[in-house]
């Protein structure tokens, strides 16, 4: 009898989980199509189909293939990778308030970009004009990797990586990066200050297929690799000692997971700027819906992250057309209240 009840419960749970993933995939497809249809120029589904097939009129075809489609692909890539990185870091650090910005990755990328924007004229004069559009993404990516290497190096003690030291080093790196950004902002001219302001708020605009292809490929490969950490993250919830006695290479897993998250976040920040709260909000919503088992939580967080970021992009593109608000404003409006909700929830518990 007990076995029968257990089997029935597992069957119901499997059906619920399957329904959740079907709903998330349907929501993702819906907002992705909305990203192609909605905007200052409304397009029909037939126009989009013709544009994708190469048979459309010049203007709708250009809007779809050169503006909205790469933007939609980039939004999916960044949203999914930020969300899965947030879920991995929350599980790894056993901290429900962790996100990719906590350990300084976004700060390092931002500092590198600010250096290029403000001081770039001193060393970019000899760079060909065809290469200059890719200087900012390359600088952000290199800044993220450099900061990650520093964080992981400082966080190790006696050959082991301490989670507490990792967080503290991340806070210190963020503080140093913030001070550097503040100083460079102070000495910048009006044009540079405007560029800094818009970049720091994040945007999916001004992206072409070449940059999108490279960044999204890096983010998707990193995200797929992170899915393999699901069992290890489940064991981490029992404590590091229990995980160690279960046969996990604790230090190796910490180091490799943080490094992969740095690569994914660096690729996203390098092309779209810092976009906050997706890595914090998505895993929590997914955990409330589907539970804490990471083999379900990681893919659910990724799908939800894609949905949230594309929804935010639809909002900023259609609030005051043809003007476009920075996407960081929308994600902050979503994430800020949710962050306060988490704090109040933790206080009550």
């Amino acid at each position: 009898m007990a076995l029968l009840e257990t089997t029935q419960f597992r069957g119901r749970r499997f059906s619920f989980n399957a329904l959740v993933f079907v709903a998330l995939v349907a929501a993702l497809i819906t907002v992705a199509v909305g990203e192609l249809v909605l905007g200052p120029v409304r397009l029909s589904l037939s126009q989009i189909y013709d544009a994708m097939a190469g048979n459309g009129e010049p203007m709708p075809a250009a809007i779809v293939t050169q503006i909205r489609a790469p933007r939609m692909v980039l939004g999916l890539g960044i949203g999914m990778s930020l969300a899965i990185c947030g879920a991995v870091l929350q599980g790894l650090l056993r901290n429900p308030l962790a996100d990719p910005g906590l350990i300084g990755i976004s700060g390092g990328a931002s500092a590198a970009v600010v250096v290029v924007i403000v001081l770039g004229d001193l060393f970019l004069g000899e760079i060909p004009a065809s290469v200059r559009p890719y200087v900012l993404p390359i600088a952000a990516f290199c800044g993220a990797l450099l900061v990650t290497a520093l964080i992981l190096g400082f966080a190790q003690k006696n050959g082991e990586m301490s989670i507490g030291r990792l967080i503290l080093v991340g806070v210190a790196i963020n503080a140093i990066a913030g001070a550097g950004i503040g100083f460079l902002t102070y000495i910048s001219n009006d044009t540079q200050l405007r560029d800094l302001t818009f970049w720091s708020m994040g945007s999916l605009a001004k992206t072409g297929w070449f940059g999108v292809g490279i960044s999204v490929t890096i983010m998707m490969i990193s995200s797929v690799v992170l899915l393999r950490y699901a069992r290890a993250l489940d064991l981490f919830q029992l404590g590091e000692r229990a995980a160690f006695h279960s046969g996990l290479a604790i230090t190796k897993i910490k180091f490799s997971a943080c490094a992969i998250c740095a690569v994914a976040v660096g690729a996203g920040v390098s092309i779209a700027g810092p976009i906050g709260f997706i890595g914090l909000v998505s895993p929590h919503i997914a955990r409330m819906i589907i539970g804490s088992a990471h083999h379900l939580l990681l893919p659910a967080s990724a799908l939800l992250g894609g949905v949230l970021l594309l929804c935010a992009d639809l909002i900023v593109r259609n609030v005051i057309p043809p003007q476009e608000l920075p996407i960081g404003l929308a994600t902050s409006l979503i994430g800020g209240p949710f962050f306060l909700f988490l704090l109040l929830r933790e206080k009550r518990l």
Side-chain angles (χ1 to χ4, degrees), residues 11-32:
R12 289 194 298 269
R13 189 64 188 176
F14 175 81
S15 300
F16 175 76
N17 293 339
L19 182 62
V20 168
F21 278 101
V22 169
L24 287 175
V25 171
L28 191 64
I29 293 173
T30 301
V31 294

Side-chain angles (χ1 to χ4, degrees), residues 18-70:
L19 182 62
V20 168
F21 278 101
V22 169
L24 287 175
V25 171
L28 191 64
I29 293 173
T30 301
V31 294
V33 172
E35 186 82 355
L36 299 177
V37 171
L38 301 176
V41 178
R42 299 292 178 93
L43 299 176
S44 65
L45 293 178
S46 61
Q47 287 177 309
I48 294 171
Y49 176 80
D50 291 339
M52 293 295 189
N55 301 321
E57 299 178 359
M59 189 184 75
I63 292 174
V64 172
T65 59
Q66 301 302 319
I67 299 176
R68 294 185 183 176

